[in-house]
Amino acid sequence: MSDLPGFTLPSVFDNPKGWGPSTSQPTINYKDIPYVPFSKGDKVNRVANWFTSSDGRDQRDGRGGRGKQGRDGSQQTYGSNAASTFVYQAEEDEQSFSLVDNRGAALKKIGVRAVHGERTRGGRGGGSAGGMQRLGHAGGRGGGKFAGGSGGFRRRYGGWRDFGRDQHRRLASVKPTDEWQLMQEIEFSRMADLSFSVGDVKELGTYGKVGVYDHAYDRVTSRLERPLKAAGTVRYNVTASEDPVLAKIASTSNEVKVFATDAVVALLMASTVSFSAWDIVVNRVGDKLFLDKRDGGPVDFPPVNENATEPPPEASDKTGSINSAPMLALESRDIVRNYIKQITGKASIDLEHANPFNEGASDADKTADDNAYRYRVFDLSARADGSDDEADAPANDSGERCFMAVRTEIDGVIAAGAQKQRQLFIRALTQHDINATGAGNAFDWRAKLDTQRAAVIAIENKNNGSKLARWAFQAVLADADQIRLGFVARASPRDRTRHGILGFQSYVPTDMLAQLKLSEFKAWGIVKAIVDMCLQLDEGRYVIMRDPNRSVICLYSVPPGTFENDDAEDAPLSAPATDDADF
């Protein structure tokens, strides 16, 4: 008889502290084998579940709830909390396969019946009791707002396909050519921390005639509306290099190096809150610096709803809609001039000097300038901290003091006594069509201005923040005692020629800046930085331009004859045929 094969019992390693291999057992035989630790108290019903998804998530049924396996908590599969441990990782095999089609079967539209006495899943937007509601269609009072009814979510805010898409690209105020050389770019973020305290201001005199405010317009309301009349006079807007008073100062004074108008300086002060494109022409003549505007450019035309979430559509020519951005800016310019003349046209007061732009013109001349000006000199010399003395003001980088002469405007006066007159800075906000694109979700002024004035002003601060900031800084530069903002609306949304005066709102200039959350010191810091940068340029012509779609200010070097032969047809905004006057 042959010997029977022997059988030797293997060594058993006990693990008294838990299940699984003992710590004293050699691990060479179990190397690279995945192991999921568990406790002896765990209830194991299944060793493996081949129907569990590879990502470890619970399977759900077609109705959006948990399936049978998810609802039965007792059917827990061993290792289900770490399913990714046993997932097969494909490395090279997947490269030989390509996706053919991953589309599922089209879902049928399902009718949902609303149960009487209960709300459907749509909540307030559900259908009425006992009715049928088709998925994807509106029902009730809330459904039309979000589910595709007229004026619904897709039309108002755009659908999911529009997410991340550039909804509005603004046009440049002037298109750079190949002859332009980019010298520097300044991001708005770099100008956020600038600050400067301007020194003493010197008065150079007042020029022209100023109108006296008619207090009858204090009683104008939306119910007592007054029609806006066309002014029969002219208000000039001459650039700094063509101003005879500033030219005389430049030829006689060695201290004043910078010359500008209040509109240009205010545009620089409010540059960080601007959205539309603008440009400023910089003329470096000898040691003098002229900050000029371009005739027919953005400085002459106040934008409408520039800061709105959806601004008015822009057009590159004059054939655009009456509610396009260029046409609204032209309409706003005309409204402001007519409004100033109408509320200050009963009487006028002669100032210290005659109007510098009416040399040789008679009082009956209809082309004579009907504006009043105040010339002031600001000290932009850098000072040591805590120093207020003019003698302690150190020179700039070139070793000279820096003064800037600015021509400001006086729109009206209020007689406050025999010795004192309060100077006014008057502008007007406009409303064209609240249902048009770019209206900025504004209220109807005729219905809400008297009852919800605060809400109307809050919306205007949001939609026209840049324009209001420019006007507030202009009033500060002119040292005006009060800002008068009129509310003027179209008589008919489709007629841009007839308007009505609905009311006004008055501000102290510094209070208006505080309401707009702007700082005069930071605004002067921006002006100081740009002036110092321009004073270091060589003699020639340059352009400071706000990029239309980036928060950047660009400085270009341009040929000497740039803009000199441009006419009104080349301007991006509709401009009058004259060069110096805007009717």
Side-chain angles (χ1 to χ4, degrees):
M1 181 182 293
S2 61
D3 297 335
L4 295 177
F7 176 75
T8 305
L9 293 175
S11 301
V12 178
F13 298 91
D14 186 20
N15 187 5
K17 296 183 180 180
W19 290 5
S22 174
T23 57
S24 60
Q25 183 178 0
T27 59
I28 186 64
N29 297 329
Y30 304 99
K31 186 178 180 181
D32 298 331
I33 296 179
Y35 168 69
V36 180
F38 55 90
S39 174
K40 289 184 177 181
D42 294 342
K43 184 178 180 180
V44 179
N45 292 326
R46 295 182 182 181
V47 176
N49 183 7
W50 307 111
F51 297 98
T52 304
S53 59
S54 60
D55 56 358
R57 295 180 297 181
D58 293 321
Q59 296 294 322
R60 299 176 182 268
D61 57 9
R63 293 172 295 175
R66 294 184 179 273
K68 180 178 179 181
Q69 301 296 333
R71 290 194 304 265
D72 191 358
S74 62
Q75 300 295 325
Q76 180 182 359
T77 305
Y78 167 68
S80 61
N81 59 341
S84 59
T85 307
F86 302 96
V87 174
Y88 172 70
Q89 301 294 336
E91 297 180 357
E92 299 180 358
D93 295 343
E94 294 292 340
Q95 297 179 0
S96 60
F97 293 89
S98 61
L99 180 62
V100 178
D101 189 4
N102 63 347
R103 293 178 298 177
L107 295 178
K108 296 182 179 180
K109 293 185 177 180
I110 305 174
V112 179
R113 181 179 298 276
V115 182
H116 182 71
E118 296 181 3
R119 292 183 178 179
T120 60
R121 189 170 184 176
R124 296 177 59 185
S128 59
M132 295 295 293
Q133 178 183 347
R134 186 69 64 183
L135 291 182
H137 292 271
R141 35 179 198 168
K145 184 177 181 181
F146 300 98
S150 60
F153 180 83
R154 287 183 59 85
R155 186 180 69 120
R156 192 172 184 182
Y157 298 99
W160 63 272
R161 296 179 182 273
D162 297 329
F163 180 79
R165 183 182 298 176
D166 192 1
Q167 299 289 341
H168 185 84
R169 288 191 63 85
R170 302 177 187 266
L171 301 178
S173 59
V174 59
K175 186 177 180 180
T177 63
D178 297 337
E179 298 178 348
W180 292 24
Q181 180 182 0
L182 178 61
M183 301 190 63
Q184 191 171 356
E185 287 187 351
I186 307 174
E187 297 82 3
F188 284 1
S189 58
R190 295 171 54 188
M191 299 187 294
D193 298 331
L194 297 176
S195 180
F196 181 75
S197 178
V198 71
D200 296 334
V201 182
K202 297 181 180 179
E203 300 290 343
L204 298 181
T206 56
Y207 293 76
K209 294 189 299 183
V210 62
V212 179
Y213 177 72
D214 187 0
H215 288 279
Y217 287 89
D218 291 344
R219 298 184 292 272
V220 173
T221 62
S222 59
R223 295 183 179 180
L224 301 176
E225 176 181 342
R226 289 200 178 187
L228 182 66
K229 302 176 182 179
T233 56
V234 181
R235 295 177 67 90
Y236 286 8
N237 191 12
V238 182
T239 188
S241 59
E242 299 177 0
D243 191 309
V245 177
L246 295 180
K248 183 178 180 180
I249 298 173
S251 60
T252 58
S253 176
N254 294 326
E255 292 184 345
V256 181
K257 303 294 184 182
V258 186
F259 303 88
T261 61
D262 58 346
V264 173
V265 178
L267 182 61
L268 293 176
M269 288 181 164
S271 58
T272 55
V273 295
S274 63
F275 279 75
S276 297
W278 48 262
D279 57 89
I280 296 175
V281 181
V282 179
N283 288 310
R284 194 77 167 93
V285 182
D287 60 344
K288 307 296 183 181
L289 176 65
F290 290 88
L291 301 178
D292 293 324
K293 71 176 184 66
R294 186 168 50 84
D295 290 335
V299 180
D300 294 333
F301 300 89
V304 177
N305 292 346
E306 173 186 354
N307 301 82
T309 304
E310 185 180 4
E314 298 194 16
S316 58
D317 52 18
K318 302 178 184 178
T319 61
S321 168
I322 61 173
N323 295 326
S324 64
M327 299 301 293
L328 289 176
L330 178 61
E331 180 182 355
S332 177
R333 191 278 310 268
D334 296 337
I335 289 176
V336 169
R337 296 185 172 186
N338 295 336
Y339 179 72
I340 294 174
K341 182 60 179 178
Q342 183 166 341
I343 68 175
T344 61
K346 274 197 171 183
S348 61
I349 298 176
D350 293 331
L351 300 179
E352 300 174 357
H353 307 279
N355 194 307
F357 306 109
N358 293 338
E359 294 291 340
S362 61
D363 296 338
D365 190 357
K366 294 184 178 181
T367 61
D369 184 22
D370 192 40
N371 207 350
Y373 306 100
R374 183 179 184 181
Y375 291 84
R376 313 181 76 198
V377 175
F378 298 88
D379 188 1
L380 297 183
S381 302
R383 286 175 170 78
D385 294 339
S387 176
D388 295 332
D389 190 2
E390 182 177 348
D392 295 337
N396 54 16
D397 296 339
S398 60
E400 298 178 356
R401 300 284 300 279
C402 182
F403 290 93
M404 180 175 65
V406 180
R407 186 191 74 222
T408 63
E409 295 183 4
I410 304 175
D411 298 323
V413 294
I414 296 179
Q419 304 294 334
K420 176 75 173 174
Q421 291 179 346
R422 299 174 62 186
Q423 297 185 357
L424 299 179
F425 184 83
I426 303 173
R427 290 296 183 269
L429 293 171
T430 60
Q431 184 173 71
H432 51 286
D433 185 0
I434 60 175
N435 296 321
T437 303
N441 296 325
F443 292 141
D444 185 0
W445 289 357
R446 287 184 170 87
K448 302 294 185 180
L449 183 60
D450 293 340
T451 58
Q452 300 183 23
R453 180 178 294 263
V456 171
I457 294 176
I459 293 177
E460 291 304 311
N461 290 344
K462 175 181 177 295
N463 294 335
N464 296 286
S466 176
K467 178 171 64 177
L468 292 174
R470 288 162 57 177
W471 289 348
F473 284 127
Q474 283 185 261
V476 170
L477 291 172
D479 195 21
D481 298 306
Q482 189 179 104
I483 299 176
R484 288 268 173 145
L485 288 180
F487 293 91
V488 180
R490 287 181 183 175
S492 173
R494 297 184 179 181
D495 188 359
R496 62 181 299 272
T497 60
R498 296 186 300 112
H499 303 83
I501 303 175
L502 307 179
F504 78 96
Q505 182 70 27
S506 61
Y507 294 96
V508 177
T510 54
D511 293 344
M512 186 173 179
L513 288 177
Q515 183 173 343
L516 295 173
K517 298 181 181 180
L518 298 174
S519 172
E520 182 181 354
F521 298 103
K522 291 186 177 181
W524 277 115
I526 296 174
V527 175
K528 170 65 175 175
I530 293 179
V531 167
D532 290 345
M533 177 186 66
C534 294
L535 286 175
Q536 299 177 4
L537 300 174
D538 297 333
E539 188 171 354
R541 174 165 291 186
Y542 305 86
V543 173
I544 299 176
M545 188 177 69
R546 200 264 193 219
D547 191 278
N549 299 298
R550 295 188 303 157
S551 299
V552 172
I553 293 179
C554 303
L555 175 64
Y556 289 93
S557 175
V558 300
T562 307
F563 304 131
E564 290 184 357
N565 297 326
D566 291 349
D567 54 13
E569 296 295 332
D570 296 332
L573 296 175
S574 299
T578 56
D579 293 332
D580 298 338
D582 294 327
F583 294 90

